[in-house]
Amino acid sequence: MRFSVKMTKMASPPLILVAGLLAIIAVGTLLLMLPAASHGGHSLHWIDALFTATSAACVTGLVAVDVNTTFTVFGETVIMILMQLGGLGFMTMATLFALVLGRKLSLKDRLLLKEAINADSMEGIVRIIRKVMIFSFTIEGIATVILALRWMADMPVGQAFYYGLFHAVSLFNNGGFDLFGNSFVQYRGDWLFNLVASVLVISGGLGFIVLSELFDFRRTRKLSLHSKLVLSVSGGLIVIGTVVIFVFEFTNMRTLGPLNFEEKLYASFFQSVSTRSSGTSTVDITGLRQATQFFMMLLMFIGASPGSTGGGIKTTTFIIMMGAIIAMVRGRNDIVFFKYRVPKVMLMKALTIIIISLLIYMLVVMLLLTTEDAPFLPLAFEASSAIGTVGLSVGVTPHLTDIGKLIICATMFIGRIGPLTIAYALRPRSDKQLYRHPEGHIIIG
């Protein structure tokens, strides 16, 4: 069968990407509703199956039911596949099968891939995809073995490898799902786990373009402006997050208080890494002080980087707006990073993304306050986690009404696809030719 996505005159690349993710969620929902997917042989309620499938495909990690006690190995495998498809993208996975089968990609296929990984051109797009797939499966495979060896002391060999694979996929794709029931609280003092898990989360959150350039760095010895910004902003946010969480929670007996100094550092660092995209945790999120929870909401809203497995407004969007503020304060007309001037169109796109995301976030919070009987901050936290596709929760999600779960599902979907992609997909046919990535050296959105 020829590998080609049939694009009609009415089907733009953004619309196809939206439809593709919807199709993945629909198939995942049906599979999770099968009796074989749940313990006891009973079909899972459709709203819980839809919520779980959406959360997995949108690599969020919010759950309406406990994964370990609800789903069988079949159901957990479906969730793992959904996370892999959602993290790398269905077009990326389709390209993998096409390359394995020796098929050539059409111009339309390459255009779709450009949109799928948020690249600014189609030049070398297949080469980038090939590198990303090699890097992704290699790091997931290595992490699976390391985690399995670590967990062999706690469980049978077969289960250790299964847990290693599931959590390697979940962490790299920033899926947020775990099979322990309390995330990774019991491993907060384990340096090996913290190291492996952090490397997986950070790698998945950098973005395909950055991964490709890092893959070639030993040969080229250079990075683009986009990669420099992503790496510097990501590193800065991780350090700031670690310090803030460490200071705010140092004496909190429900989180870091009972831990020794080394464990405090491990937990603060991991939570800072996880908050912007992964959604896993080594501390009790419900026990955090309100100031810490609010700070984490800000990190979740920023999210990961463009073309990555994470969500949020993205690191480049955030730094461009910060650059605009600094330039205004200094009385300068141009935003400059690493001696490059940022085009005005980039600033306009960044501003648009932030405003649309804020409007969506405020609407979601207001709707949840209308439909749910819960305090403001927990609902605002869940909404921030959903729109940032993070997956951290203060325990509200399982108790949401069906309407509340549907609202969160829609929010996770928008957070994964991106507000601009959905806006482009819904544009009138006469406006389709206006859809272009802005010229420049930075990818945002």
Side-chain angles (χ1 to χ4, degrees):
M1 181 177 180
R2 182 173 176 268
F3 172 72
S4 177
V5 179
K6 300 300 182 182
M7 296 172 58
T8 65
K9 293 182 179 180
M10 292 296 292
S12 65
L15 182 58
I16 292 177
L17 293 177
V18 170
L21 184 56
L22 285 173
I24 291 173
I25 292 172
V27 173
T29 301
L30 293 176
L31 290 175
L32 292 178
M33 288 178 64
L34 294 175
S38 302
H39 289 299
H42 301 295
S43 296
L44 188 66
H45 189 255
W46 71 270
I47 188 65
D48 292 330
L50 173 63
F51 192 97
T52 305
T54 303
S55 183
C58 296
V59 286
T60 304
L62 288 174
V63 291
V65 295
D66 182 70
V67 175
N68 191 34
T69 59
T70 301
F71 296 104
T72 61
V73 173
F74 171 76
E76 293 169 355
T77 302
V78 171
I79 292 173
M80 181 169 57
I81 294 174
L82 288 174
M83 288 190 293
Q84 190 75 78
L85 290 174
L88 297 182
F90 80 96
M91 277 305 303
T92 306
M93 298 300 293
T95 302
L96 170 65
F97 289 114
L99 294 175
V100 170
L101 295 174
R103 307 298 186 187
K104 292 185 177 181
L105 304 185
S106 68
L107 178 62
K108 294 177 181 179
D109 298 329
R110 293 171 187 268
L111 181 60
L112 271 172
L113 284 172
K114 181 178 82 71
E115 306 301 335
I117 68 171
N118 221 346
D120 58 355
S121 73
M122 288 187 292
E123 183 179 356
I125 194 71
V126 176
R127 185 174 66 254
I128 293 175
I129 294 295
R130 186 181 291 112
K131 292 176 184 176
V132 168
M133 301 305 292
I134 293 174
F135 184 88
S136 301
F137 291 136
T138 299
I139 194 171
E140 285 180 355
I142 294 173
T144 296
V145 174
I146 296 175
L147 291 175
L149 292 175
R150 165 61 186 84
W151 286 331
M152 281 182 186
D154 304 327
M155 58 189 71
V157 175
Q159 185 181 5
F161 272 98
Y162 172 66
Y163 269 48
L165 176 61
F166 184 95
H167 293 103
V169 171
S170 178
L171 289 165
F172 179 77
N173 291 285
N174 288 238
F177 284 82
D178 72 274
L179 301 179
F180 292 102
N182 61 346
S183 200
F184 303 113
V185 173
Q186 62 266 47
Y187 298 107
R188 59 193 175 194
D190 189 323
W191 70 269
L192 179 61
F193 170 81
N194 279 272
L195 175 63
V196 174
S198 297
V199 169
L200 285 169
V201 173
I202 293 172
S203 300
L206 289 178
F208 296 152
I209 303 300
V210 179
L211 290 180
S212 177
E213 291 190 14
L214 289 175
F215 191 85
D216 290 336
F217 183 74
R218 294 183 64 180
R219 176 174 57 85
T220 62
R221 292 296 174 181
K222 64 179 181 180
L223 295 172
S224 66
L225 173 61
H226 171 76
S227 294
K228 290 178 181 178
L229 282 179
V230 167
L231 292 172
S232 58
V233 175
S234 298
L237 289 174
I238 289 173
V239 171
I240 292 172
T242 301
V243 173
V244 171
I245 294 173
F246 182 83
V247 172
F248 282 19
E249 297 296 318
F250 191 88
T251 58
N252 186 353
M253 298 306 296
R254 298 181 62 187
T255 54
L256 301 186
L259 310 181
N260 60 43
F261 187 82
E262 185 179 12
E263 290 176 335
K264 283 183 170 72
L265 284 178
Y266 287 158
S268 300
F269 176 77
F270 183 81
Q271 211 53 63
S272 177
V273 169
S274 175
T275 297
R276 287 182 31 253
S277 53
S278 170
T280 49
S281 61
T282 55
V283 296
D284 180 13
I285 302 300
T286 60
L288 294 170
R289 290 180 170 133
Q290 290 188 350
T292 309
Q293 292 178 353
F294 181 76
F295 174 75
M296 291 172 67
M297 289 166 59
L298 299 178
L299 291 181
M300 290 190 292
F301 190 78
I302 295 172
S305 301
S308 70
T309 59
I313 61 171
K314 304 300 189 294
T315 52
T316 49
T317 303
F318 168 73
I319 195 59
I320 286 177
M321 291 307 303
M322 292 301 296
I325 294 173
I326 294 173
M328 181 63 68
V329 170
R330 292 182 174 180
R332 298 177 179 177
N333 294 324
D334 297 318
I335 306 170
V336 179
F337 295 114
F338 297 100
K339 299 182 180 181
Y340 284 96
R341 182 184 296 111
V342 177
K344 297 296 183 183
V345 68
M346 293 285 189
L347 176 59
M348 293 299 294
K349 185 176 181 182
L351 182 61
T352 301
I353 291 173
I354 291 175
I355 292 177
I356 292 178
S357 298
L358 281 174
L359 290 174
I360 293 173
Y361 175 68
M362 288 188 294
L363 176 61
V364 170
V365 173
M366 286 190 294
L367 290 175
L368 290 176
L369 288 171
T370 303
T371 62
E372 309 304 315
D373 183 19
F376 170 78
L377 185 60
L379 291 177
F381 190 95
E382 304 293 293
S384 180
S385 181
I387 199 168
T389 67
V390 178
L392 292 176
S393 174
V394 290
V396 173
T397 300
H399 306 292
L400 293 175
T401 63
D402 288 353
I403 296 177
K405 291 177 182 178
L406 289 175
I407 293 172
I408 292 295
C409 282
T411 307
M412 291 188 292
F413 183 83
I414 294 172
R416 182 61 185 132
I417 288 292
L420 281 189
T421 301
I422 295 178
Y424 290 142
L426 298 177
R427 274 182 176 177
R429 180 181 175 184
S430 59
D431 291 341
K432 295 299 183 184
Q433 69 271 17
L434 298 179
Y435 178 66
R436 296 288 189 275
H437 271 293
E439 298 296 328
H441 302 278
I442 308 171
I443 302 169
I444 62 178

